[in-house]
Amino acid sequence: MGSNYGYCLVCFLVILPAICYSQDFTYSRATYYGSPDCLGTPTGACGFGEYGRKVNDANVAGVSRLYKNGTGCGACYQVRCKAPQLCSDDGVNVVVTDYGEGDNTDFILSTSAYARLARPNMALELFAYGVVNVEYRRISCQYAGYNIMFKIHEHSRFPDYLAIVILYQGGQNDIVDVEIWQEDCKEWIGMRRAYGAVFDMANPPKGYLTMRFQVSGSAGLKWVQATNAIPGDWRAGVAYDSAIQLT
């Protein structure tokens, strides 16, 4: 692991700004996975696909206990390493897109994210460590110009099987449940968490779909509704704008 870290020196790294810090740092360890293009992986356990490869300028991470059976997918963290002579003061802000276990680590960072831990011109020395001591804290995800998107997972089969993944969830929020309004029965029908951030349902309602998702955040649990969020002729691989964003 990590044999391709030299490529990362040519990557252009831009980090989304972190605001609204609300927790003390937790001490842990972090490592990285090799990637010739410095990006994330499209096959991560969260089910994000290409979004998981490129979101946040590919500053992404696989996590172990922070994965929380998929509920932790999409969460944002500030991670900074603890070797003063090598590590930058701010570290890197990452988005959780995968599950991964390392050598007593909480984070397995993309190559670009691991390089961002280092001071200027010190990335190669930091990669040589392989595993570093870090401190981290949860931060608000910020996606300027993006609303929450409902992406129809590629495994969906119109009209008999619908699987979705929720992208660009802002703030410090975890999405714990998703439901679809069944108009003929006048009731909400729960979707199953298939894996990671992917929710699915066999024989979904016909026509425009009104969704609601339950959010766990600083204000406790709340339901957020997106009316007619997905058209009746939905197609696999397409992402639909919810017109709402969490803060």
Side-chain angles (χ1 to χ4, degrees), residues 13 16 36-37 87 109 157 187 190 206:
L13 304 177
L16 293 176
D37 56 10
C87 299
L109 302 172
R157 299 183 303 276
E187 65 178 342
K206 304 299 189 290

Side-chain angles (χ1 to χ4, degrees), residues 26-30 62-66 100 104-108 136:
T26 298
Y27 293 95
S28 185
R29 284 154 56 88
V63 294
S64 51
R65 62 190 178 90
L66 298 175
N104 295 315
T105 62
D106 274 320
F107 292 90
I108 303 180
Y136 69 88

Side-chain angles (χ1 to χ4, degrees), residues 121-198:
N121 303 315
M122 301 298 289
L124 285 176
E125 287 83 352
L126 191 62
F127 275 112
Y129 273 62
V131 179
V132 293
N133 293 325
V134 298
E135 58 183 12
Y136 69 88
R137 60 181 171 184
R138 181 83 179 261
I139 61 173
S140 289
C141 295
Q142 302 290 320
Y143 298 110
Y146 287 93
N147 295 318
I148 284 178
M149 307 286 287
F150 294 110
K151 181 186 176 184
I152 309 300
H153 197 274
E154 287 78 2
H155 292 164
S156 298
R157 299 183 303 276
F158 181 84
D160 301 318
Y161 171 72
L162 173 65
I164 67 166
V165 58
I166 300 176
L167 311 180
Y168 298 112
Q169 65 185 60
Q172 294 190 39
N173 301 288
D174 297 327
I175 295 174
V176 296
D177 283 302
V178 179
E179 296 182 343
I180 297 178
W181 178 249
Q182 182 106 26
E183 179 62 28
D184 54 352
C185 298
K186 302 297 182 185
E187 65 178 342
W188 292 99
I189 307 297
M191 300 187 78
R192 178 183 70 118
R193 185 186 291 274
Y195 65 94
V198 179

Side-chain angles (χ1 to χ4, degrees), residues 67-133:
Y67 183 74
K68 297 185 289 187
N69 294 318
T71 303
C73 290
C76 294
Y77 292 89
Q78 181 191 16
V79 183
R80 56 192 190 190
C81 60
K82 299 297 291 178
Q85 71 278 18
L86 297 178
C87 299
S88 68
D89 293 335
D90 294 329
V92 61
N93 300 340
V94 296
V95 179
V96 173
T97 59
D98 201 356
Y99 175 87
E101 294 184 353
D103 182 11
N104 295 315
T105 62
D106 274 320
F107 292 90
I108 303 180
L109 302 172
S110 66
T111 318
S112 62
Y114 194 88
R116 187 65 177 83
L117 291 173
R119 293 185 181 277
N121 303 315
M122 301 298 289
L124 285 176
E125 287 83 352
L126 191 62
F127 275 112
Y129 273 62
V131 179
V132 293
N133 293 325

